[in-house]
Amino acid sequence: MITSVQNEKVKQWKKLQKKKFRDIDQQFLVEGYHLVEEAISSQWNVIEIIAVEDAEIPQNISSLPVTVVTTNVLGAISNTKTPQGIAAVVKMKNNAWKQWKKIICIDQIQDPGNLGAIIRTADAAGFDSIILGDNTVDLYNDKVIRATQGSVFHLDIIHYSLNDAVSKLKKDAVSVWATTLEEATPYNQVTIDEKIAIILGNEGSGVDESLINLADHKVKIPIYGQAESLNVGVAAGILMYRVAEFS
């Protein structure tokens, strides 16, 4: 059992709380029974399990190395107020470009809760892929991972320049929607094609103009009350379920 937070292994785990070291090691931490089980059942490369002595170890991890730690040690590497007693170190997954049919493109979204919610909703709505553009919050940020509730393990998620990605999607006969309020068509009046990509923009500035100009359709969600706009996660859900309903 590891009992000291000064243990070299613990120090290595703690480094994974920072993007710099996650990128160097190509590893990240997940916490809690649900996320650990999702990582394993989704066949990601789980490197090791970290658990307190009395934790209930899921049966499907019998072949994985388990490091037992004290509650104090787990608390030192955890980003949650009440750790569940189990965590895992997981290898990042580098997905390749594929011929997807339903795609979300993320343009500089900064809030981890928003990105996590979008990934979770994309999974629920039957989307295939998330393309993360430059200056978007780190996918492996602990708040993003928690907000996905395990959906991060179910989708093809890649990092790609969105200008290049949109051009490539159009060559793949994907109809590209850009969300904007200017000169846009209400989302429920746009034809649902067989292949669709939806570009969602930064919480403050929206979708970059260069991407809007590349899109096949400018799409908006009408505002009937006095709010200036919708939260990007909510808007994403409305658009994705519109596509799911007719595809």
Side-chain angles (χ1 to χ4, degrees):
M1 178 188 291
I2 296 178
T3 60
S4 172
V5 296
Q6 298 304 317
N7 182 282
E8 287 303 314
K9 202 165 191 178
V10 177
K11 290 180 180 178
Q12 190 63 32
W13 293 334
K14 286 192 71 173
K15 284 183 177 180
L16 296 179
Q17 294 175 346
K18 297 181 179 179
K19 182 181 186 303
K20 173 184 175 181
F21 295 107
R22 290 195 295 268
D23 289 344
I24 291 172
D25 294 343
Q26 288 292 289
Q27 298 173 3
F28 64 104
L29 281 171
V30 298
E31 298 180 46
Y33 287 98
H34 177 67
L35 286 175
V36 170
E37 290 183 322
E38 286 288 339
I40 295 167
S41 63
S42 301
Q43 299 183 330
W44 280 49
N45 184 1
V46 177
I47 295 167
E48 66 178 319
I49 304 296
I50 306 160
V52 297
E53 187 174 21
D54 58 350
E56 293 183 15
I57 306 298
Q59 294 182 353
N60 60 345
I61 68 171
S62 58
S63 63
L64 297 171
V66 178
T67 300
V68 180
V69 300
T70 61
T71 302
N72 184 50
V73 167
L74 189 65
I77 66 171
S78 172
N79 284 302
T80 58
K81 292 182 179 179
T82 55
Q84 293 181 21
I86 192 167
V89 180
V90 184
K91 187 76 173 175
M92 292 181 184
K93 194 172 185 179
N94 296 314
N95 291 303
W97 187 281
K98 296 179 185 176
Q99 298 288 315
W100 301 294
K101 288 190 175 181
K102 290 186 281 188
I103 308 105
I104 291 294
C105 297
I106 303 293
D107 181 28
Q108 303 183 70
I109 287 177
Q110 296 293 312
D111 185 270
N114 282 339
L115 179 58
I118 290 167
I119 293 170
R120 184 178 180 182
T121 305
D123 184 17
F127 273 61
D128 308 310
S129 173
I130 307 282
I131 301 176
L132 303 175
D134 298 334
N135 301 317
T136 291
V137 62
D138 180 31
L139 173 64
Y140 299 105
N141 176 297
D142 67 287
K143 292 180 181 177
V144 174
I145 297 294
R146 288 202 304 273
T148 72
Q149 283 293 299
S151 289
V152 67
F153 301 117
H154 303 161
L155 300 169
D156 289 337
I157 303 178
I158 67 170
H159 294 83
Y160 217 92
S161 162
L162 287 192
N163 288 80
D164 293 339
V166 169
S167 297
K168 193 162 183 163
L169 288 167
K170 293 176 76 170
K171 288 179 181 178
D172 291 343
V174 177
S175 176
V176 178
W177 294 11
T179 52
T180 180
L181 295 176
E182 297 181 9
E183 300 179 358
T185 303
Y187 74 99
N188 54 1
Q189 296 178 21
V190 181
T191 301
I192 309 295
D193 295 304
E194 182 182 0
K195 299 179 183 180
I196 291 180
I198 302 172
I199 309 173
L200 301 167
N202 176 271
E203 290 87 349
S205 57
V207 175
D208 187 88
E209 188 175 352
S210 65
L211 295 171
I212 293 174
N213 292 334
L214 286 173
D216 297 299
H217 299 284
K218 300 176 184 179
V219 178
K220 67 179 180 181
I221 300 172
I223 301 293
Y224 300 110
Q226 298 181 53
E228 288 186 3
S229 63
L230 288 170
N231 169 275
V232 66
V234 173
I238 292 170
L239 296 173
M240 282 190 272
Y241 268 85
R242 173 69 179 181
V243 170
E245 184 180 359
F246 289 92
S247 61

